[in-house]
Amino acid sequence: EVQLLESGGNLVQPGGSLRVSCTASGFSFSSYAMSWVRRAPGKGLEFVSLISDNGASTDYAESVKGRFIISRDNSKNTLYLQMNSLRVEDTAVYHCAKDMDDYGEYNFDYWGQGILVTVSS
Amino acid sequence: DVQMTQSPSSLSASVGDSVTITCRASQNINNYLNWYQQKPGKAPKLLIYTASSLQSGVPSRFSGSGSGTTFTLTISSLQPEDFATYYCQQSNSRPPTFGPGTKVDVK
């Protein structure tokens, strides 16, 4: 059974940093691209970032480019999102999502339940 | 970015009803359209990918159709576990974008 479990959510002040993680099980983690997708309060789902199976290729939404860094450790079956220069508008539930293929075609077949990141003073 | 819209934004239905949700893209996305189901506090679940392919394990009462800019998700006989919010998502061009959702609740 595919499982994705996010962790690391917290309350952080504007301008601060936070790293969230996603631990995967039930599939060959190193064979699939992975993504982060978020939902801000009262808003819809928004793509944040994608990383290819081997980490060689990444993609970011314009809203987070230059501030967020996606990475993965295939030896630990773990996906990360380092969030820097956080803004109030980054407040959201962050979901990790598995892609259906290795490079990343933005087709998300499994998702985690999500972790809340709150940016507030 | 490709803008996705859904109609209706919400609907009320009864068990056994047939339900149809429409998703429209602001430009041609070929058949790169996925449908997800989400219940409160739960992870989104992929139902349909590339417009009409049923994800493994998803009941056959769910079906998708369409191409280009207009797509539909149909639930042929609504079951109690189907009351949820449904989202479409295009994967034709980056960034991938989602519709605002259609909430299906009990009449």
Side-chain angles (χ1 to χ4, degrees):
Chain A
E1 179 192 6
V2 172
Q3 291 193 351
L4 298 169
L5 183 63
E6 300 93 343
S7 61
N10 211 334
L11 169 65
V12 62
Q13 291 190 336
S17 297
L18 188 69
R19 188 178 81 162
V20 293
S21 305
C22 170
T23 303
S25 61
F27 67 101
S28 178
F29 181 74
S30 61
S31 297
Y32 295 92
M34 297 292 296
S35 289
W36 290 97
V37 178
R38 69 185 180 184
R39 184 204 307 281
K43 303 224 172 158
L45 292 163
E46 179 190 20
F47 167 78
V48 174
S49 184
L50 174 143
I51 187 167
S52 61
D53 59 340
N54 61 6
S57 177
T58 58
D59 186 26
Y60 296 92
E62 287 299 318
S63 59
V64 307
K65 197 173 288 186
R67 300 187 298 122
F68 289 13
I69 301 171
I70 192 171
S71 62
R72 64 192 296 161
D73 185 337
N74 286 345
S75 69
K76 296 182 178 179
N77 287 356
T78 302
L79 174 72
Y80 303 100
L81 185 67
Q82 176 68 42
M83 300 182 284
N84 302 319
S85 301
L86 280 160
R87 304 168 180 167
V88 170
E89 55 265 34
D90 294 318
T91 295
V93 172
Y94 285 75
H95 298 271
C96 65
K98 172 188 170 293
D99 204 283
M100 293 183 81
D101 63 34
D102 55 354
Y103 186 78
E105 297 291 336
Y106 308 103
N107 300 311
F108 311 120
D109 59 351
Y110 291 96
W111 299 57
Q113 279 193 232
I115 194 80
L116 178 62
V117 173
T118 303
V119 185
S120 175
S121 54
Chain B
D1 297 1
V2 177
Q3 305 303 313
M4 307 299 293
T5 59
Q6 289 182 234
S7 59
S9 57
S10 65
L11 66 90
S12 297
S14 301
V15 172
D17 286 351
S18 177
V19 168
T20 297
I21 299 168
T22 300
C23 175
R24 290 186 171 86
S26 60
Q27 63 192 67
N28 180 15
I29 59 170
N30 299 293
N31 68 335
Y32 294 104
L33 191 284
N34 304 319
W35 289 98
Y36 301 90
Q37 175 195 69
Q38 188 175 26
K39 299 178 181 178
K42 300 293 188 181
K45 175 184 177 182
L46 178 66
L47 301 174
I48 303 285
Y49 61 97
T50 54
S52 60
S53 297
L54 191 67
Q55 171 68 349
S56 175
V58 174
S60 59
R61 63 181 179 271
F62 291 93
S63 64
S65 65
S67 185
T69 62
T70 303
F71 302 85
T72 59
L73 172 71
T74 299
I75 310 171
S76 60
S77 178
L78 201 65
Q79 297 301 300
E81 60 268 29
D82 300 337
F83 293 102
T85 300
Y86 294 84
Y87 298 91
C88 61
Q89 175 239 329
Q90 67 83 18
S91 58
N92 183 71
S93 60
R94 67 156 314 282
T97 47
F98 294 82
T102 295
K103 184 176 182 180
V104 177
D105 62 19
V106 179
K107 181 183 280 184

